[in-house]
Amino acid sequence: MNKQHILGFFDDLVRTPVFLFLCAMFLCGAAAGGLTGLRAGEGDGAAVLSGLLAELPAHVVQSTLCALIWVLLPLVCAFLRPRELLLSAVAAARGFVLAMTVAVSVGEGNALIIGAAGVPAVLSVSALLAACSMVWQGGEATGRYSLRTCRMPYFLCITLVVLSALLRAAIAALCNV
């Protein structure tokens, strides 16, 4: 029996070496961020970052814009050189920030931040890695960047990130009540 996949474009995308490399870069950044977050002190910037998540329900628009910046960064990297290095840095930086936020909240014993940052990250991280992969492969195929072949999948990534930001705000609002 032949398997049918709903999102065939993404099925082909996740089977590429580029996607696997970007996942490895994300995990390297997450490992570094986790270790940094566990070592964060009281007045450290990492503690300030986790404190901002506690105030998230009042800042939904800023949170959504910040999430959009992460998924639009690959488009900026497409026009800079060396594109591949910058896309790898974006994936590693996202892993670092996410893991550091969760590690600081574990150190403080704050379950709100773990739920507000970790659960919606499943959507936003997968969208970011897919967007980075599309940009990387779009540049390899033509020698220059082109979004013509993957406009709709990239728009789907942007939509997933917005939904992730709204879910993060909803979880934070429910936990604060």
Side-chain angles (χ1 to χ4, degrees):
M1 179 177 246
N2 211 359
K3 283 189 199 178
Q4 283 189 320
H5 298 281
I6 295 172
L7 299 173
F9 179 84
F10 291 107
D11 188 43
D12 293 337
L13 186 70
V14 299
R15 296 174 192 264
T16 61
V18 169
F19 185 80
L20 293 176
F21 176 75
L22 289 171
C23 287
M25 291 304 296
F26 174 81
L27 291 174
C28 288
L35 294 174
T36 303
L38 289 175
R39 303 262 312 151
E42 181 67 30
D44 201 355
V48 173
L49 181 64
S50 67
L52 290 175
L53 276 178
E55 302 169 3
L56 182 62
H59 305 288
V60 175
V61 174
Q62 291 93 339
S63 173
T64 306
L65 289 176
C66 189
L68 275 174
I69 288 172
W70 278 110
V71 81
L72 293 176
L73 272 175
L75 291 176
V76 173
C77 294
F79 298 107
L80 302 173
R81 297 284 178 206
R83 173 183 28 233
E84 293 81 9
L85 179 65
L86 294 173
L87 290 170
S88 302
V90 167
R94 179 66 178 124
F96 182 87
V97 170
L98 180 66
M100 183 179 64
T101 305
V102 171
V104 167
S105 64
V106 166
E108 294 175 351
N110 192 349
L112 162 70
I113 296 174
I114 295 171
V119 174
V122 172
L123 294 174
S124 65
V125 168
S126 59
L128 175 69
L129 292 174
C132 287
S133 296
M134 283 185 266
V135 169
W136 188 323
Q137 290 175 0
E140 281 182 350
T142 62
R144 59 181 175 76
Y145 175 68
S146 174
L147 190 60
R148 288 186 186 119
T149 59
C150 56
R151 284 184 185 146
M152 197 59 179
Y154 206 94
F155 180 72
L156 182 61
C157 290
I158 291 171
T159 305
L160 283 174
V161 167
V162 169
L163 288 174
S164 169
L166 295 175
L167 180 64
R168 185 179 331 129
I171 290 172
L174 288 174
C175 291
N176 278 339
V177 172

